[in-house]
């Protein structure tokens, strides 16, 4: 079976939040049928869900940071523990990068242990200690 990545809809929130609860991250419905990271008042740019059949495997969320600079920040990548190391995060990030091919993407959700993984996606650590897909 292959992964399906698509925008998160309000009806997906319960299932998406079940896998984020271990890390204490939740998504909520925002105006205009958007989905927002709980506690984040910035306008969301994207929230994508990765599924395999009816099973929710993970999600990714991002917003402009700040909007006037024109780049987006990936704020959270959440993968269910039992589905890690299967390519879920890679599928989610491939979807983000394809959806925003001409936009600088900042990995706000990166962890030092995952630098090599992000590098395989074309991200580089810059002088500020951030990881971006463009300098």
């Amino acid at each position: 079976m292959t992964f399906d990545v698509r925008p998160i809809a309000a009806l997906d929130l319960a299932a998406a939040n079940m896998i984020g609860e271990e890390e204490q991250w939740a998504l909520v419905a925002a105006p205009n049928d958007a989905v927002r990271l709980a506690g984040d008042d910035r306008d969301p740019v994207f929230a994508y869900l990765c599924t395999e059949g009816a099973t929710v495997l993970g999600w990714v969320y991002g917003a402009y940071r700040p909007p006037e600079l024109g780049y987006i920040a990936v704020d959270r990548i959440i993968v269910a523990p039992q589905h890690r190391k299967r390519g879920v995060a890679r599928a989610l990030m491939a979807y983000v990068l394809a959806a925003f091919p001409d936009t600088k993407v900042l990995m706000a959700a990166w962890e030092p242990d995952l630098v090599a993984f992000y590098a395989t996606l074309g991200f580089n650590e810059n002088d500020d200690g951030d990881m971006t897909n463009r300098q």
Side-chain angles (χ1 to χ4, degrees):
M1 180 154 293
T2 60
F3 300 142
D4 178 42
V5 179
R6 61 176 171 76
I8 297 176
L11 60 94
D12 299 317
L13 290 175
N17 286 334
M18 284 177 51
I19 65 168
E21 69 185 356
E22 174 185 317
E23 297 178 33
Q24 300 178 2
W25 295 107
L27 298 168
V28 295
N32 302 327
D33 295 324
V35 171
R36 159 181 323 225
L37 192 63
D40 189 354
D41 61 354
R42 294 172 297 150
D43 288 331
V45 176
F46 61 84
Y48 300 129
L49 188 72
C50 183
T51 60
E52 187 175 45
T55 303
V56 172
L57 308 176
W59 52 267
V60 62
Y61 173 87
Y64 283 110
R65 182 180 289 176
E68 62 271 13
L69 294 181
Y71 64 87
I72 55 175
V74 174
D75 289 302
R76 292 289 163 253
I77 301 173
I78 304 295
V79 177
Q82 67 272 29
H83 297 294
R84 291 181 184 155
K85 306 254 188 234
R86 293 188 53 215
V88 175
R90 182 174 302 280
L92 286 163
M93 285 306 302
Y95 195 91
V96 169
L97 295 172
F100 300 93
D102 300 319
T103 304
K104 181 177 179 179
V105 178
L106 170 78
M107 288 303 304
W110 75 281
E111 296 177 24
D113 294 348
L114 299 176
V115 168
F117 165 70
Y118 294 123
T120 67
L121 297 172
F123 286 80
N124 299 296
E125 194 169 1
N126 62 24
D127 294 338
D128 296 333
D130 294 324
M131 293 202 73
T132 61
N133 65 334
R134 293 183 175 78
Q135 296 300 330

